[in-house]
Amino acid sequence: MPFVNIKITNEGVTPEKKEQLISGATQLLVDVLGKNPKTTVVIIDEVDTDNWGLGGESVSTRRKRGD
Amino acid sequence: MPFVNIKITNEGVTPEKKEQLISGATQLLVDVLGKNPKTTVVIIDEVDTDNWGLGGESVSTRRKRGD
Amino acid sequence: MPFVNIKITNEGVTPEKKEQLISGATQLLVDVLGKNPKTTVVIIDEVDTDNWGLGGESVSTRRKRGD
Amino acid sequence: MPFVNIKITNEGVTPEKKEQLISGATQLLVDVLGKNPKTTVVIIDEVDTDNWGLGGESVSTRRKRGD
Amino acid sequence: MPFVNIKITNEGVTPEKKEQLISGATQLLVDVLGKNPKTTVVIIDEVDTDNWGLGGESVSTRRKRGD
Amino acid sequence: MPFVNIKITNEGVTPEKKEQLISGATQLLVDVLGKNPKTTVVIIDEVDTDNWGLGGESVSTRRKRGD
């Protein structure tokens, strides 16, 4: 029944990697809290680098500068 | 003034169905709590089936298996 | 499998009212999109009126003014 | 370390405007609470007007009517 | 820079368990996507069982029935 | 109509500071995007330092170490 939301930048994450995030997050809830995996929901949000800010500027701008 | 967020998988939901979700959720807040519909916000997030996990695997994988 | 989040101000909502919000939101997803109620999650967030802003000021301030 | 999420309708917001939202929200947290801008995260969600409801109907419908 | 939000019911989760959720979720992002742990944020929301619905009824009601 | 959610640690933020966050975030949306302040919603979530993780550990643990 837990709900996990993972927000990452939209930079070519493959379906295989997404499966690993989903299974890993679900297993974490099972291992730490004994939650039922069948009703554990994981939602991955991929956010455009223009729309993600860190340190007062977008990740797009940071990437252009080489950060 | 209430805020409702509905997350569903991105599987061909029509604008008409979305209108029904919006009007239905707004009416629910009016009926149960007497909220003002004019300032009630409803946001629908459509999530790719690769990005939605249930039972430790993506909905894409579940759909392929016939679940 | 849908996920619904309802945010309302924290002003004495009874457990009975919460049950009505949960059952109503779940039924809405069943009626409009044919979703499975068994895996539909509804989470209600009750937000302090100091922490909810509308029109550039908190609901606490609005209430004091009689809005 | 604060986290700010801004949800707006998806109506042609330019990268320059997004930079202003990111820098402005980050500066707000610095000015009001003395937060560290380096670890302040801002995420902008652009929502389709079909998926945003206000007053019991979608923004798409409101726009068509001239609201 | 990733952001992880974990929502669970408010049923006596200890600080030690919370540390395990935080370190485990952070490590998952490092292992799967090579993310920087220093800027990875994890927020745990503990939700009252009256406010969490599954299957059209609150978890409080389900617990009373022995589910 | 925009919606802004600000998540901060729960460390004695006064109602006056909250008012400044609400008015500042609302004004930002007016200034940058010309949004209507009357329907702009701001919600502040105060998160316990045990429940906020950065760098793989809780803020409570970081504070104890003097970070």
Side-chain angles (χ1 to χ4, degrees):
Chain A
M1 207 177 46
F3 174 83
V4 181
N5 178 224
I6 299 173
K7 291 183 193 295
I8 50 177
T9 46
N10 187 359
E11 302 180 278
V13 180
T14 63
E16 288 72 28
K17 293 287 185 185
K18 291 176 186 177
E19 289 287 355
Q20 292 175 40
L21 290 174
I22 289 168
S23 62
T26 304
Q27 193 59 42
L28 181 68
L29 273 296
V30 172
D31 291 348
V32 176
L33 296 177
K35 294 293 183 182
N36 180 1
K38 285 192 187 168
T39 54
T40 296
V41 173
V42 180
I43 290 180
I44 301 167
D45 291 328
E46 296 175 278
V47 178
D48 196 280
T49 54
D50 282 359
N51 291 18
W52 191 303
L54 182 69
E57 56 188 1
S58 74
V59 173
S60 298
T61 296
R62 294 168 71 93
R63 293 276 190 269
K64 277 179 212 152
R65 252 214 336 274
D67 274 22
Chain B
M1 208 177 45
F3 173 83
V4 181
N5 177 225
I6 299 173
K7 292 183 192 296
I8 50 178
T9 46
N10 188 359
E11 301 179 280
V13 179
T14 62
E16 288 72 28
K17 293 287 185 185
K18 292 175 185 176
E19 289 287 354
Q20 291 175 39
L21 290 174
I22 289 167
S23 62
T26 303
Q27 194 59 41
L28 181 67
L29 273 296
V30 172
D31 291 346
V32 177
L33 296 177
K35 295 292 184 183
N36 180 358
K38 285 193 186 168
T39 53
T40 296
V41 173
V42 180
I43 290 180
I44 301 167
D45 291 329
E46 296 174 279
V47 178
D48 196 280
T49 55
D50 281 0
N51 292 19
W52 191 302
L54 182 68
E57 56 187 1
S58 74
V59 172
S60 297
T61 296
R62 295 169 70 95
R63 292 276 189 270
K64 277 179 209 148
R65 253 212 339 272
D67 273 22
Chain C
M1 209 175 45
F3 174 83
V4 181
N5 178 224
I6 299 173
K7 291 183 193 297
I8 49 178
T9 46
N10 188 359
E11 301 179 279
V13 180
T14 63
E16 288 71 29
K17 293 288 185 186
K18 292 176 186 175
E19 289 287 354
Q20 291 175 41
L21 290 174
I22 289 168
S23 62
T26 303
Q27 193 58 43
L28 181 68
L29 273 296
V30 172
D31 291 346
V32 176
L33 296 177
K35 295 292 183 184
N36 180 0
K38 286 191 186 169
T39 54
T40 296
V41 173
V42 180
I43 291 179
I44 301 167
D45 291 330
E46 295 174 280
V47 178
D48 196 279
T49 55
D50 282 359
N51 291 19
W52 191 303
L54 183 69
E57 56 187 1
S58 74
V59 172
S60 297
T61 296
R62 295 169 69 94
R63 292 275 191 270
K64 276 179 212 150
R65 253 214 335 275
D67 273 21
Chain D
M1 207 175 47
F3 174 83
V4 180
N5 177 225
I6 299 173
K7 292 183 194 294
I8 49 177
T9 46
N10 188 359
E11 301 178 280
V13 180
T14 62
E16 288 71 29
K17 293 288 185 185
K18 292 176 186 176
E19 289 288 355
Q20 291 175 40
L21 290 174
I22 289 168
S23 62
T26 303
Q27 193 58 42
L28 181 68
L29 273 295
V30 172
D31 291 346
V32 177
L33 296 177
K35 295 292 184 183
N36 180 359
K38 285 193 187 168
T39 54
T40 297
V41 174
V42 180
I43 290 180
I44 301 167
D45 291 329
E46 295 175 278
V47 178
D48 196 279
T49 54
D50 282 359
N51 292 19
W52 191 303
L54 182 69
E57 56 188 0
S58 74
V59 172
S60 297
T61 296
R62 294 168 71 92
R63 293 275 190 269
K64 276 179 212 150
R65 251 214 337 274
D67 273 22
Chain E
M1 206 175 44
F3 174 84
V4 180
N5 178 225
I6 299 173
K7 292 183 192 297
I8 50 178
T9 46
N10 187 359
E11 301 179 280
V13 180
T14 62
E16 288 72 27
K17 293 287 185 186
K18 292 176 186 177
E19 288 287 355
Q20 292 175 40
L21 290 175
I22 289 168
S23 61
T26 303
Q27 194 59 42
L28 181 68
L29 273 296
V30 172
D31 291 346
V32 176
L33 297 177
K35 295 293 184 184
N36 180 1
K38 285 192 186 167
T39 54
T40 296
V41 173
V42 179
I43 291 180
I44 301 167
D45 291 328
E46 296 175 279
V47 178
D48 196 279
T49 55
D50 281 0
N51 291 19
W52 191 302
L54 182 69
E57 56 188 2
S58 74
V59 172
S60 297
T61 296
R62 294 168 70 94
R63 293 274 190 271
K64 277 180 211 150
R65 252 211 340 272
D67 273 21
Chain F
M1 207 175 47
F3 174 83
V4 180
N5 177 225
I6 299 173
K7 292 183 192 295
I8 50 178
T9 46
N10 188 358
E11 302 178 278
V13 180
T14 62
E16 288 71 28
K17 293 286 185 186
K18 292 176 186 176
E19 289 287 354
Q20 292 175 39
L21 291 174
I22 288 168
S23 62
T26 304
Q27 194 59 41
L28 180 67
L29 274 296
V30 172
D31 291 346
V32 177
L33 297 177
K35 296 292 185 183
N36 181 359
K38 285 193 186 167
T39 54
T40 296
V41 174
V42 179
I43 290 180
I44 301 167
D45 290 329
E46 295 174 280
V47 178
D48 196 280
T49 54
D50 282 359
N51 292 18
W52 190 303
L54 182 69
E57 56 188 1
S58 74
V59 172
S60 297
T61 296
R62 295 169 70 95
R63 292 276 190 270
K64 276 179 210 150
R65 252 215 336 274
D67 274 22

